[in-house]
Amino acid sequence: MDALTRSAWTETSYKRALKMLHDRSGIIVGEHKMKSSERLLEGLRKEYGFVTIDDFLDSLGNNKDHSGWPAFINCFTINHTAFFREPHHFEILAKYIEKHRTNCAIWCASCSTGEEPYSIAMVLNEIVGEQTPCPRIVATDIDGQAIQRAKAGIYSIDKLTGISEERLRRHFLKGNNKFEGKAKVKPALCDRIEFSELNLMSFSWPKPAMFDVVFCRNTMIYFDHETQVRLVANFARSMKPGGLLFIGHSETLASTTDQFTLLGQTVYQRNNR
Ligand SMILES: C[S@@+](CC[C@H](N)C(=O)[O-])C[C@H]1O[C@@H](n2cnc3c(N)ncnc32)[C@H](O)[C@@H]1O
């Protein structure tokens, strides 16, 4: 990075980038990402052939369909996730599936690199059987790179700590040679999931009352209150009465909606109205 470019990354430029990020994705980021985002944005500046990062931001700002938008957002997203994160949620899901069996549609709305929807798929396959095509899982995320990794379904074995030995044997294939130390999810899990890139802030929401179960965990925490209210109202519209909404352990729907009832452990039920 040359001195001229480095000096161009000021607090004003950073604040401008954060506003663009928020307007586009609803994500709010604090001061702590100024350094790391500079490094990533500098890579994009070079890739797109601009003189300064601000020139790149100008170009994005002038074109809402610019191909650099997804990569710009990826500079700020936090993809931390894990298999069977918050394991009690998967026990609650299992009880729901045992009751509703195949008659159920599931949306994993911020699926990151796939650990969450594959955990859901393991629960489903164990209850309804691998040969039964329903229920299906729609898994989406704003981060296109994360979605590509999710589709590949290949994980380091040391990242599989939340999974029992029995589940590892049943749902994963151990790699060898160049895949030594890695494991791949079996096709029966992949077959249950449709992955796609989707920004919760800017798309036409699915038909009303389409989903029985929605997972949107550890994501709303990055949005401001107004964005959370909008998002939760859209979830309410897209869910069937009686359906379950799972959010992260440090999140709450309190003061955002009266359309859900808390069942406990950050699981909410869509009210019948
Ligand atoms: C911390 S991860 C949580 C992943 C997973 N839900 C879990 O709890 O393990 C947050 C995810 O939200 C995604 N995200 C952030 N803003 C989004 C938006 N506007 N639309 C869709 N996904 C978004 C990020 O890309 C990231 O993968």
Side-chain angles (χ1 to χ4, degrees):
M1 198 186 303
D2 60 40
L4 183 67
T5 309
R6 201 160 37 239
S7 67
W9 186 238
T10 59
E11 215 174 302
T12 311
S13 307
Y14 181 59
K15 283 191 176 148
R16 177 183 176 210
L18 294 192
K19 180 167 184 332
M20 290 168 68
L21 173 75
H22 177 260
D23 291 349
R24 182 86 174 190
S25 68
I27 299 170
I28 33 175
V29 170
E31 285 166 19
H32 63 288
K33 283 219 158 183
M34 184 158 170
K35 206 73 231 135
S36 61
S37 60
E38 178 188 15
R39 190 173 35 77
L40 296 169
L41 287 169
E42 175 58 17
L44 288 182
R45 171 198 76 76
K46 279 195 192 132
E47 187 183 326
Y48 282 89
F50 289 102
V51 176
T52 66
I53 295 174
D54 264 303
D55 292 341
F56 173 59
L57 297 182
D58 284 343
S59 171
L60 289 182
N62 289 333
N63 180 2
K64 70 176 176 41
D65 300 319
H66 196 298
S67 64
W69 269 111
F72 167 75
I73 288 170
N74 293 353
C75 294
F76 299 93
T77 48
I78 296 139
N79 295 124
H80 176 73
T81 185
F83 286 98
F84 293 99
R85 185 179 192 185
E86 301 174 48
H88 48 275
H89 280 172
F90 296 91
E91 288 162 25
I92 295 167
L93 173 71
K95 287 200 183 109
Y96 187 89
I97 299 298
E98 268 155 14
K99 195 163 158 207
H100 294 81
R101 310 293 302 180
T102 56
N103 184 22
C104 191
I106 300 173
W107 181 18
C108 184
S110 56
C111 68
S112 186
T113 43
E115 289 85 336
E116 188 176 56
Y118 286 126
S119 304
I120 298 171
M122 285 184 238
V123 171
L124 299 188
N125 282 11
E126 288 161 14
I127 295 174
V128 302
E130 290 169 6
Q131 306 305 324
T132 316
C134 291
R136 299 209 45 78
I137 303 163
V138 175
T140 60
D141 198 283
I142 196 172
D143 184 337
Q145 287 166 6
I147 288 291
Q148 289 315 317
R149 287 175 56 197
K151 277 186 184 164
I154 298 171
Y155 299 93
S156 287
I157 285 177
D158 57 14
K159 292 274 163 64
L160 306 182
T161 46
I163 310 178
S164 67
E165 275 300 319
E166 191 194 335
R167 279 188 164 143
L168 280 178
R169 271 195 303 276
R170 178 164 177 181
H171 300 293
F172 288 82
L173 297 162
K174 262 194 178 170
N176 45 38
N177 300 326
K178 76 170 181 158
F179 291 108
E180 193 68 52
K182 304 218 186 282
K184 186 174 182 355
V185 292
K186 287 190 181 170
L189 285 192
C190 303
D191 290 350
R192 205 169 273 293
I193 309 174
E194 282 157 41
F195 285 106
S196 59
E197 194 178 319
L198 183 147
N199 178 357
L200 289 167
M201 291 305 118
S202 63
F203 81 108
S204 318
W205 276 70
K207 284 188 294 203
M210 194 168 165
F211 293 105
D212 300 272
V213 174
V214 174
F215 275 68
C216 185
R217 304 187 308 162
N218 307 300
T219 303
M220 274 194 287
I221 199 170
Y222 301 113
F223 300 154
D224 61 24
H225 183 70
E226 191 193 326
T227 308
Q228 290 175 359
V229 170
R230 204 151 38 98
L231 185 63
V232 172
N234 280 328
F235 281 138
R237 210 176 57 82
S238 67
M239 287 177 66
K240 294 181 194 158
L244 300 186
L245 173 62
F246 293 80
I247 62 173
H249 65 98
S250 56
E251 297 167 325
T252 174
L253 297 193
S255 81
T256 60
T257 181
D258 58 2
Q259 291 174 301
F260 289 91
T261 301
L262 179 63
L263 299 181
Q265 296 184 299
T266 57
V267 183
Y268 289 80
Q269 185 161 43
R270 175 75 172 88
N271 294 338
N272 287 321
R273 61 182 163 77

